Amino acid sequence: MSSHAAPRPLAARRSGPLKGRLRVPGDKSISHRAFIFGLLSVGETRIEGLLEGDDVLRTGAACRALGAAIERTGEGQWRVRGAGLGSLLAPQDTLDFGNAGTGSRLMMGVVGGHAITARFDGDASLRKRPMRRILDPLELMGARTLEQAEGGRCPILLQGAAEPAPIEYRTPVASAQIKSAVLLAGLNSPGRTVVIEAEASRDHTEKMLAHFGATVKSEPFGEAGRRITLEGRPMLSPNPVIVPADPSSAAFPIVAALITPGSEIVIEGMMMNPLRTGLLTTLLEMGADIVELDRRVEGGEDVADLRVRASALKGVDVPAARAPAMIDEYPILAVAASFASGETRMRGLHELRVKESDRLAAVADGLVANGVDCAIDGDDLLVRGAGGPAEGGGMVATHLDHRIAMSFLVMGLASKKGVSIDDEAMIATSFPTFRPLMASLGAEFS
Ligand code: S3P
């Protein structure tokens, strides 16, 4: 299990207008998958723009432990020489994923589909997260959970299936992690694996499967879902991966510029995959002045530069159906809503309770600590905005959650009394350059 150094508190002060251009680091979801597909193909995969955050580096370390040779060749540039599907090594030591839910769950899929046994563990946050949602389908495919902590939590000892059974699986919640774990295990199955999701979740695994030469089909299912069919045991061949800028990280400077009077910034090369842009849709409904400057395709994904200007926002009703396309953005949306006029209702947030922290509770507590009028109503979060600067002045408990940390620092930049957080350390998991990049726009921290 990872050890933790002493917490590092940080304060964001009320700052002047934010100005400038920036490119946020590579997408976390794609970066994890780039290492994993590199491991599973034979030959050399070149990666450009990889997010060098702690979560992704731990997935890289796990891929090494399973037989990949991984080398950094420059900033964000990596080479992976894969062990190949069906030829993975059993790791000698525990796979320590630190804070990373995605890395651990996707790698459970990889191990679950191979005749190897591995122990999965992580920090105090990861140890609280439910893993039954991953272990259940893997067990149907023939994997065995040899050890687990209470309720199917880490540490977990997982014995993969030598010949994983092809299954048809309906995910119980909209989750790209569950879908991906089943597909990754299904890769080494002799038949056809089908995953059905009632609501479409991010499709990076499907795209990367096709990019590496697998036969995968994604069709609409019901009103908003997908049915994904994968032919097992493909010959995966390496293909370069260019990682676009992470919309979940761009969300922080975008909202910072919207709520800090006089701001005007440009975000470069942000991924515009429609399964990731729910926050943008919502902010535009709130009246945000965000303009797309240059849409293009990079590395197989639509990307765009976005010009963002400070805006008078108004409260909106965010439908539950939008949650999969903005699941990681609710903390920062709640901050934006605190500055809007009127009420914002964010519906159907049950999945937020099982993220890096109980994000529903952490957001509501953080808002209350900073004088914002808010309430949790079942699975909904209600925020009544000030129609201007929030009061601030609070100390926010981050519960080992990077997105709680960054959201409340953003709030501090535009609040009357600033905002403090109890620990900035976890920001390194997804956005290690958050502080210098924000400072380059004019954000003040102390
Ligand atoms: C991710 C899927 C989402 C998201 C996480 C990254 C992925 O989790 O919250 O940050 O890369 O597949 P769920 O699948 O649990 O919704």
Side-chain angles (χ1 to χ4, degrees), residues 28-29 33 102 105 133 174-177 202 327-328 355:
K28 182 151 77 76
S29 293
R33 286 159 172 85
T102 305
R105 287 170 168 156
R133 51 177 59 197
S175 161
Q177 294 177 354
R202 64 190 69 191
I327 193 66
D328 292 334
K355 292 294 176 189

Side-chain angles (χ1 to χ4, degrees), residues 293-415:
L293 298 180
D294 177 17
R295 195 182 267 252
R296 57 207 187 265
V297 177
E298 271 177 20
E301 291 282 1
D302 270 17
V303 301
D305 298 341
L306 301 178
R307 193 204 64 205
V308 185
R309 286 185 176 144
S311 308
L313 302 174
K314 58 179 195 309
V316 290
D317 196 310
V318 189
R322 199 177 291 158
M326 56 177 298
I327 193 66
D328 292 334
E329 280 68 77
Y330 285 101
I332 192 66
L333 174 62
V335 168
S338 308
F339 290 73
S341 54
E343 182 178 287
T344 295
R345 182 181 278 267
M346 295 162 245
R347 295 180 187 269
L349 304 191
H350 48 91
E351 274 295 296
L352 290 203
R353 296 189 194 274
V354 290
K355 292 294 176 189
E356 284 82 332
S357 65
D358 175 345
R359 279 192 182 152
L360 197 48
V363 168
D365 290 349
L367 293 179
V368 168
N370 287 289
V372 178
D373 183 5
C374 73
I376 295 174
D377 178 18
D379 285 338
D380 297 354
L381 177 64
L382 266 98
V383 178
R384 289 171 209 99
E391 202 50 39
M395 166 61 85
V396 174
T398 52
H399 303 286
L400 296 177
D401 190 329
H402 54 133
R403 298 199 200 280
I404 297 298
M406 289 184 277
S407 298
F408 282 98
L409 288 173
V410 166
M411 180 177 216
L413 301 177
S415 296

Side-chain angles (χ1 to χ4, degrees), residues 221-242:
F221 180 85
E223 248 174 54
R226 308 293 297 176
R227 178 192 166 92
I228 298 109
T229 308
L230 171 69
E231 305 293 335
R233 303 235 164 119
M235 182 66 207
L236 293 181
S237 29
N239 226 336
V241 178
I242 301 169

